[in-house]
Amino acid sequence: MDPEQINEFVVGYLKKKGFSSAAKDLESYHHQNNNGSSFTSVDYHNDPELTKLIRSFSQQEDDPTRYREGYSKLRSWAYNSLDLYKHELLRVMYPVFIHCYMDLVGKGHTQEARTFFNSFRKDHEMVHLRDLQKLEGVLSPSHLEEMEFARSLRKSKVNIKFCQYSYELLLQYLHSTVSTLMLGIINEHINFQVYSGQPTSSSDDIEAVTIVGSFQDTANHINQKEIQWGLLEDSLEDRLEKTGGLLSDSEKGQGESKDGDADDSKKRSTEIGKQGSSLKKLKKDKAGNATAKVARLETITVSPAPRVKPELALPVMSTDVEQSILEDLRNRVQLSSVAMPSVSFYTFVNTHNGLNCSSISHDGSLVAGGFSDSSIKVWDMAKIGQAGSGALQAENDSSDQSIRPNGRRSYTLLLGHSGPVYSATFSPPGDFVLSSSADTTIRLWSTKLNANLVCYKGHNYPVWDAQFSPFGHYFASCSHDRTARIWSMDRIQPLRIMAGHLSDVDCVQWHPNCNYIATGSSDKTVRLWDVQTGECVRIFIGHRSMVLSLAMSPDGRYMASGDEDGTIMMWDLSTARCITPLMGHNSCVWSLSYSGEGSLLASGSADCTVKLWDVTSSTKLTKAEEKNGNSNRLRSLRTFPTKSTPVHALRVSYAFFTRINSTIL
């Protein structure tokens, strides 16, 4: 077949497929190059040679075995590469794998797609298990359009960082092996960011693999919205700062502490007679006080958070509650890397894996636990402490840890749910407990009456989390139905419904000014919502697994989020950028809590540790390193092991002494 006939066949094929404009352009191009000669009429429907040529092209395009062969060869080449470049080359395997699978499903090769999926899924289960479980349900071309997760993957690109030499190695392989199918998938769905120098591992760079494309464009557009992240006007903290009451009391308390330490040192030196050691102790105390004073002055010199007006009608605070909060603020201890909190652990025994969640009241006096048998139990720490170690030991040794030797329970039992309880949280004053359950309901309990007051129904699936607002009265919930909802205690229907996540909403947290709530989801993103409009105003992208815990800094500037892999990320709310990843945990981070002044962050994990992080120093280091373009990885200040018990909840509270209360499974 001569070139003229091939050109005629190509034009006929384009017309058959409906590409009339392309066929006309090709005809005009050849008409000009052939001195005005035009194409002869070709019967592209009945011509045997054209039919054979088109059939060969179609068979090659639709052959499902090409995907398995191409991916298998690319996989073998990547795994057999040098160790220096292997970890970077393997980054392309997961996006190529999922798009090969979705291409096969889209072309109707369901059986071949299932075989391909099951053959190579083990390579990616460790990191992408939940994504694979979702893709496993894609079985027909219609599913690619109906499922939001699959549709977002098809419309987006994966941004992968590659060193120059790894990039050249990949291109050389694709060209030398003529892997046009793999090259096409990589070209369409992967965007490479090539940098010079030695390759880096994914653990060293949190942004080594990110999603770009339509979803990223949407996030960038949303993140341009202005948010009022400052604290509320005329709040108690605002009044104390204006009058200087908080500062003067802190100075006074520290002065008294300093004098007391000096007196104690003198007494010890007189009694023991070791003046040298006492002088060293005195100097050490003075140095510690000086360091704490510098840290305090640094905190004071930070630009204060702007004041904003509340969007919700906040409840009127009673005089007793206001006085209690003021007293707590006056007695608050300034913590830093040189002034660490003390630690107090509470352990649940004989729970038989039935404890799903736990919570600690703001003053640390009450602890609540939610159980798989649909019950909620509330412990009074003061009463347990008065019982003595003997009663506790007898309780621990008994078959049922809920019954004391004298026959009385050591806790308050709350019954009402008909399914496992997944969250139990106290109101700010501690007079109410809010619980959510697999029975799709949220219940409000009174700790004074020990009774259920209201049952809130609205979610259609299990409710994973429910949290009171910082001022009480309002609360937020999140569910398997992929929504978060805002409620008021005096209404049985939700005030707002926040929809936008692509998967379960696993955790929810209020902003200190009550104008926003943050939600963490199994779709690996965190969203910030305006409570007045119900609109998403920020999308935080960077986690590589489901987000399980959230915490807001007291000044409202920053947010911390913990995921299933053990990574904690600190975010700047105004820019939606990750300030620094906090690396140290090696399992799920279930709980996060900021200190009262926001200088320390505590995290509890399934790796059986509680860690303290100096987040103030991390933000300072980040600002200095942003000029050089270096990322900052902060290590924890201190780690508290909890033997073999995962940490489900913790709270950092500050009064005359400070403590971390850890509820342990």
Side-chain angles (χ1 to χ4, degrees), residues 438-441 457-463 479-481 483 485:
D439 62 10
T440 73
T441 67
K457 299 179 180 180
H459 288 288
N460 301 320
Y461 292 92
V463 185
S479 168
H480 177 63
D481 61 13
T483 67
R485 306 185 185 215

Side-chain angles (χ1 to χ4, degrees), residues 297-521:
L297 291 175
E298 288 181 355
T299 305
I300 295 173
T301 56
V302 174
S303 58
R307 303 303 174 184
V308 300
K309 295 182 179 180
E311 295 182 356
L312 293 174
L314 298 180
V316 179
M317 190 176 299
S318 65
T319 305
D320 295 338
V321 174
E322 183 174 336
Q323 290 297 327
S324 175
I325 296 175
L326 287 173
E327 185 68 18
D328 179 72
L329 291 173
R330 291 192 181 98
N331 295 322
R332 182 173 294 170
V333 178
Q334 290 285 345
L335 295 183
S336 65
S337 58
V338 296
M340 303 289 282
S342 58
V343 182
S344 177
F345 287 108
Y346 302 112
T347 304
F348 292 104
V349 295
N350 299 324
T351 58
H352 307 294
N353 295 324
L355 180 64
N356 294 329
C357 61
S358 55
S359 178
I360 304 164
S361 63
H362 284 251
D363 59 1
S365 62
L366 298 176
V367 174
F371 292 82
S372 296
D373 62 359
S374 72
S375 67
I376 301 168
K377 300 174 184 179
V378 181
W379 284 263
D380 189 331
M381 293 296 102
K383 293 181 180 179
I384 290 180
Q386 294 172 0
S389 59
L392 283 176
Q393 183 65 32
E395 179 182 352
N396 293 351
D397 292 341
S398 63
S399 59
D400 183 0
Q401 63 104 25
S402 64
I403 305 297
R404 288 189 178 183
N406 57 11
R408 292 183 301 173
R409 290 193 179 98
S410 62
Y411 59 83
T412 301
L413 181 64
L414 305 177
L415 296 176
H417 284 293
S418 59
V421 179
Y422 292 127
S423 76
T425 181
F426 288 95
S427 62
D431 51 351
F432 297 105
V433 174
L434 193 68
S435 62
S436 64
S437 170
D439 62 10
T440 73
T441 67
I442 305 164
R443 289 181 180 266
L444 183 70
W445 310 81
S446 172
T447 57
K448 296 180 179 179
L449 302 176
N450 297 329
N452 181 221
L453 303 180
V454 189
C455 178
Y456 302 94
K457 299 179 180 180
H459 288 288
N460 301 320
Y461 292 92
V463 185
W464 302 129
D465 194 13
Q467 294 291 330
F468 269 109
S469 73
F471 293 89
H473 188 69
Y474 300 99
F475 60 91
S477 63
C478 58
S479 168
H480 177 63
D481 61 13
R482 301 185 298 180
T483 67
R485 306 185 185 215
I486 296 177
W487 309 72
S488 174
M489 290 174 59
D490 57 354
R491 297 186 182 184
I492 61 174
Q493 296 298 328
L495 305 178
R496 296 286 185 276
I497 298 178
M498 284 74 171
H501 281 292
L502 303 179
S503 188
D504 294 35
V505 185
D506 300 302
C507 53
V508 63
Q509 189 63 247
W510 285 82
H511 191 273
N513 64 19
C514 298
N515 292 337
Y516 304 95
I517 64 166
T519 54
S521 171

Side-chain angles (χ1 to χ4, degrees), residues 77-93 160-170 195-202:
W77 172 80
Y79 275 102
N80 293 325
S81 300
L82 294 176
D83 292 339
L84 181 62
Y85 306 102
K86 181 190 298 185
H87 63 272
E88 278 199 345
L89 296 174
L90 289 176
R91 292 176 187 173
V92 304
M93 299 310 302
I160 300 179
K161 288 187 177 180
F162 255 37
C163 74
Q164 182 67 37
Y165 199 75
S166 297
Y167 182 68
E168 292 176 356
L169 282 175
L170 179 62
Y195 62 91
S196 59
Q198 294 295 323
T200 59
S201 63
S202 298

Side-chain angles (χ1 to χ4, degrees), residues 166-330:
S166 297
Y167 182 68
E168 292 176 356
L169 282 175
L170 179 62
L171 289 183
Q172 183 181 6
Y173 165 79
L174 294 173
H175 291 156
S176 62
T177 57
V178 198
S179 303
T180 55
L181 181 61
M182 296 296 104
L183 180 60
I185 292 175
I186 291 174
N187 180 68
E188 184 177 359
H189 299 290
I190 298 179
N191 180 36
F192 292 100
Q193 283 188 339
V194 182
Y195 62 91
S196 59
Q198 294 295 323
T200 59
S201 63
S202 298
S203 59
D204 293 330
D205 189 353
I206 202 69
E207 296 182 350
V209 181
T210 56
I211 296 179
V212 296
S214 59
F215 181 72
Q216 183 67 54
D217 295 339
T218 303
N220 292 337
H221 175 72
I222 291 176
N223 293 339
Q224 292 176 358
K225 297 179 180 179
E226 183 180 0
I227 63 171
Q228 303 295 325
W229 54 266
L231 300 180
L232 290 178
E233 293 179 349
D234 199 32
S235 62
L236 294 178
E237 294 87 347
D238 191 17
R239 278 183 269 170
L240 279 174
E241 288 182 5
K242 290 179 180 179
T243 59
L246 179 59
L247 180 60
S248 61
D249 289 340
S250 298
E251 292 284 357
K252 181 179 178 180
Q254 289 189 358
E256 293 175 354
S257 176
K258 184 176 179 181
D259 295 339
D261 292 340
D263 293 338
D264 291 341
S265 298
K266 290 180 180 179
K267 290 179 181 179
R268 286 194 299 269
S269 64
T270 303
E271 295 173 357
I272 302 175
K274 297 182 179 180
Q275 296 181 356
S277 60
S278 298
L279 290 175
K280 290 181 180 179
K281 174 66 177 175
L282 183 59
K283 291 180 180 179
K284 184 177 180 180
D285 291 341
K286 289 181 178 181
N289 290 328
T291 306
K293 185 175 181 180
V294 172
R296 185 178 68 255
L297 291 175
E298 288 181 355
T299 305
I300 295 173
T301 56
V302 174
S303 58
R307 303 303 174 184
V308 300
K309 295 182 179 180
E311 295 182 356
L312 293 174
L314 298 180
V316 179
M317 190 176 299
S318 65
T319 305
D320 295 338
V321 174
E322 183 174 336
Q323 290 297 327
S324 175
I325 296 175
L326 287 173
E327 185 68 18
D328 179 72
L329 291 173
R330 291 192 181 98

